């Protein structure tokens, strides 16, 4: 595609753009405990296509996420079915109220693997229609998202201050999306943290309340906890949206399917093949809230590690106006999923590499010089001649152009390593640093047979000459 006089690729005229984004509602910033795997930003992009609406599921959920600790589902073994009818049978050996409540939750959790909605609902107070609707939609949402197993780990309950006959019980609710997130080997499955209120009604301990936000200091909530998600299934990707964003499902799903296919060869190289990707479309309110939110003004997408091998991708969908922008962002975020697959954590100093390789995948098959960030890269180089291949993070309050340049320069750095030393060696360097937490020098010797100082000097010159 030809560039204009500013070094940017012109917008594509084939498709009508998405509606302009709505005004963001002010949402309080929340402390974040777990690092977001990646983000993406684009400027000066084209348009978005409209296609037929695929199959849809609906559901609601409202619980609270937190980082994993204990892992009762790590082996992904199927739960033992509990015999009985629509109401769970009392556990004869459970005499303490807390034990009886835990028995009720065990009964409920087994219903997800069985696909038994009536059994799931048996542990919810039938006298509360709103609570019943909430839990019914939690079940349907989890099933639509592909959850294969749920298990509760309750802590010691305390008497409810409003009703001493009820117990408020902190619980960890673990869930699996098949072997993608619960593959065994001691890996913690994803979890959400809840504060349930339970009470004995008619001889059965039932859920009579759940705290909307029991742990605001945690990295929460997960998207499916917010409310009525609409879930659309493709062959490789599940896309879910808040009701206000459902009009974008038909546009995003086919682009996400294409992004998954584009990522497959890279995933094979990295031994990080994915059975299914999950994408959540956030309105402005959800963008600032889900997984702790993001207030960086130039960010439009993030990949969030829900455990060592599982990721949720969140798009700031109303800030994506074109087909090209949406496609690149999806490929970028899926790039984070496969390049950080198996990583136990992230280091702030490695952000340039994480974003650079995601850009490399996101713009594929275009090189860095063919991306729409090139004009911003030239702008940044004109302001300050780079002395290293590692660009300086401009920070959350930087201008959109500065953020654009940072991603573009990171892309050039990775593109240099792939061009000069070979793509497979570049991916080896990436995996050594991002997944195995090696130093740049050790990773460079391992991948390229030379020290990182030489790589840095070579690629700094390469960037200046190719940008």
């Amino acid at each position: 595609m030809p560039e204009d006089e500013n070094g940017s690729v012109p917008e594509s005229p084939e498709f009508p753009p998405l509606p302009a984004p709505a005004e963001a509602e002010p949402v309080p910033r929340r402390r974040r405990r777990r690092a977001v795997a990646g983000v993406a930003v684009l400027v000066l992009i084209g348009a978005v296509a409209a296609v037929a609406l695929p199959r849809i599921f609906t559901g609601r959920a409202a619980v609270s996420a937190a980082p994993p600790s204990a892992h009762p589902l790590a082996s992904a073994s199927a739960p033992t079915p509990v015999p009985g009818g629509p109401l769970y049978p009392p556990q004869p050996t459970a005499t303490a109220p807390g034990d009886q409540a835990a028995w009720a939750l065990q009964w409920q959790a087994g219903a997800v693997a069985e696909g038994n909605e009536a059994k799931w609902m048996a542990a919810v107070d039938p006298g509360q229609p709103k609570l019943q609707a909430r839990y019914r939609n939690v079940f349907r949402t989890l099933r639509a998202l592909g959850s294969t197993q749920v298990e509760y780990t309750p802590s010691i309950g305390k008497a409810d201050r409003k009703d001493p006959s009820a117990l408020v019980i902190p619980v960890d609710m673990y869930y699996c999306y098949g072997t993608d997130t619960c593959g065994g080997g001691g890996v913690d499955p994803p979890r959400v943290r809840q504060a349930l209120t339970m009470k004995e009604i008619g001889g059965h301990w039932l859920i009579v309340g759940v705290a909307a936000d029991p742990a605001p200091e945690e990295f929460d909530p997960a998207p499916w906890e917010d409310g009525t998600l609409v879930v659309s299934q493709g062959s490789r990707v599940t896309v879910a949206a808040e009701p206000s964003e459902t009009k974008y499902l038909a546009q995003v799903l086919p682009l996400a399917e294409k992004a998954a296919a584009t990522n497959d060869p890279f995933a094979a190289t990295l031994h990080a093949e994915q059975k299914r990707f999950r994408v959540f479309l956030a309105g402005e309110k959800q963008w600032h809230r889900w997984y702790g939110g993001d207030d960086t003004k130039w960010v439009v997408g993030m990949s969030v590690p829900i455990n060592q091998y599982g990721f949720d991708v969140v798009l700031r969908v109303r800030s994506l106006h074109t087909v090209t922008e949406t496609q690149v962002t999806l490929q970028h975020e899926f790039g984070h999923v496969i390049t950080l697959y198996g990583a136990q954590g992230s280091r702030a100093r490695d952000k340039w590499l994480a974003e650079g390789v995601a850009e490399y995948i996101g713009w594929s098959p275009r090189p860095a010089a063919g991306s729409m960030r090139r004009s911003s890269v030239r702008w940044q180089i004109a302001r300050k001649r780079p002395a290293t291949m590692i660009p300086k993070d401009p920070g959350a309050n930087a201008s959109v152009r500065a953020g654009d340049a940072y991603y573009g320069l990171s892309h050039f750095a990775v593109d240099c390593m792939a061009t000069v030393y070979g793509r497979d060696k570049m991916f080896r360097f990436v995996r050594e640093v991002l997944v195995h937490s090696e130093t740049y020098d050790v990773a460079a010797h391992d991948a390229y047979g030379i020290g990182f100082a030489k790589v840095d000097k070579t690629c700094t010159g390469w960037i200046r000459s190719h940008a």
Side-chain angles (χ1 to χ4, degrees):
M1 187 176 293
E3 295 180 350
D4 62 19
E5 65 271 18
N6 297 317
S8 298
V9 181
E11 295 188 3
S12 169
E14 306 115 85
F15 304 110
L18 288 172
E23 290 297 321
E25 299 179 36
V27 179
R29 184 71 172 134
R30 307 173 70 191
R31 185 165 70 87
R32 306 178 66 175
R33 292 189 56 187
R34 200 169 42 176
V36 174
V39 295
V41 58
L42 294 167
V43 296
L44 306 175
I45 310 295
V48 173
V51 294
L53 186 68
R55 186 161 60 104
I56 289 175
F57 299 86
T58 60
R60 168 179 293 174
V63 283
S64 187
S69 54
H71 41 89
L73 299 185
S75 63
S77 58
T80 303
V82 182
L87 282 176
Y88 71 90
Q91 185 180 23
T93 59
T95 56
D99 292 340
Q100 294 177 35
W103 172 250
L105 294 176
Q106 178 187 347
W107 167 269
Q108 183 188 54
V112 174
E114 299 169 20
N116 189 335
E117 183 177 306
K119 181 176 177 179
W120 170 267
M121 296 302 299
V124 183
D125 182 5
Q128 297 192 54
K130 289 184 179 180
L131 189 65
Q132 284 263 318
R134 180 180 190 171
Y135 267 88
R136 184 174 294 107
N137 288 325
V138 169
F139 178 87
R140 293 176 182 179
T141 299
L142 286 172
R143 294 284 298 179
L145 290 174
S147 180
T148 55
Q149 192 176 352
V150 165
E151 185 169 323
Y152 288 103
T153 301
S155 300
I156 297 173
K158 296 181 179 179
D160 186 5
R161 287 181 294 179
K162 297 180 180 179
D163 182 357
S165 66
L167 290 176
V168 177
I169 306 173
V171 301
D172 288 329
M173 177 182 172
Y174 294 86
Y175 60 100
C176 290
Y177 294 125
T179 56
D180 281 357
T181 52
C182 295
V187 177
D188 288 333
R191 75 170 181 178
V192 294
R193 180 162 290 172
Q194 301 174 295
L196 301 178
T197 303
M198 301 189 70
K199 183 176 181 178
E200 185 177 11
I201 299 175
H204 295 82
W205 277 81
L206 305 177
I207 299 170
V208 296
V210 54
D213 200 3
E217 76 281 2
E218 301 288 357
F219 195 73
D220 63 9
W224 55 268
E225 300 180 57
D226 269 5
T228 306
L229 284 181
V230 179
V231 183
S232 192
Q233 299 280 11
S235 61
R236 295 286 308 287
V237 185
T238 299
V239 182
E242 279 291 301
S244 62
E245 314 308 311
T246 55
K247 59 188 174 184
Y248 301 113
L249 282 171
Q251 298 164 334
V252 172
L253 181 58
L255 301 179
E257 289 286 311
K258 181 179 178 181
T262 299
N263 270 256
D264 281 345
F266 302 114
T269 299
L270 292 160
H271 304 290
E273 294 88 344
Q274 302 294 307
K275 293 182 180 179
R276 178 163 289 272
F277 294 91
R278 289 175 302 281
V279 179
F280 296 90
L281 308 184
E284 283 301 299
K285 183 176 180 180
Q286 291 79 35
W287 175 258
H288 290 283
R289 183 169 180 265
W290 285 348
Y291 288 127
D294 193 290
D295 293 337
T296 310
K297 57 187 173 185
W298 41 269
V299 172
V300 294
M302 57 184 175
S303 297
V304 183
I306 58 175
N307 71 349
Q308 190 176 350
Y309 294 96
F311 294 80
D312 285 347
V313 171
V314 182
L315 299 186
R316 192 177 192 173
V317 69
R318 291 183 183 236
S319 294
L320 296 169
H321 298 288
T322 71
V323 163
T324 303
E325 185 175 8
T326 306
Q327 189 70 63
V328 170
T329 301
L330 284 163
Q331 288 179 198
H332 175 113
E333 299 306 338
F334 290 179
H336 281 307
V337 173
I338 63 174
T339 56
L340 294 169
Y341 182 79
Q344 295 185 351
S346 61
R347 299 178 296 189
R349 73 176 188 125
D350 301 331
K351 181 180 176 181
W352 69 275
L353 183 60
E355 300 302 340
V357 72
E359 285 288 285
Y360 181 87
I361 295 169
W363 286 101
S364 180
R366 296 186 191 182
S371 85
M372 295 179 190
R373 303 193 195 277
R374 190 178 188 185
S375 62
S376 294
V377 169
R378 288 173 168 173
W379 167 81
Q380 182 62 46
I381 289 176
R383 295 177 71 211
K384 185 175 182 180
R385 183 180 174 87
T388 174
M389 68 188 284
I390 302 175
K392 183 179 179 181
D393 187 345
N397 296 321
S399 68
V400 171
R401 186 151 212 184
D404 198 45
Y406 174 76
Y407 278 74
L409 284 165
S410 299
H411 186 185
F412 267 97
V414 171
D415 202 7
C416 169
M417 291 189 288
T419 302
V420 174
Y421 304 108
R423 193 187 79 169
D424 288 352
K425 290 182 179 180
M426 177 273 288
F427 276 122
R428 183 172 182 175
F429 175 83
V430 166
R431 190 150 184 83
E432 288 296 313
V433 173
L434 298 184
V435 177
H436 301 305
S437 299
E438 289 289 2
T439 65
Y440 297 153
D441 204 51
V442 168
H445 276 289
D446 189 31
Y448 308 133
I450 57 176
F452 183 71
K454 187 171 183 179
V455 175
D456 190 20
K457 182 178 179 180
T458 297
C459 285
T460 301
W462 189 92
I463 292 168
R464 290 198 295 255
S465 63
H466 284 77

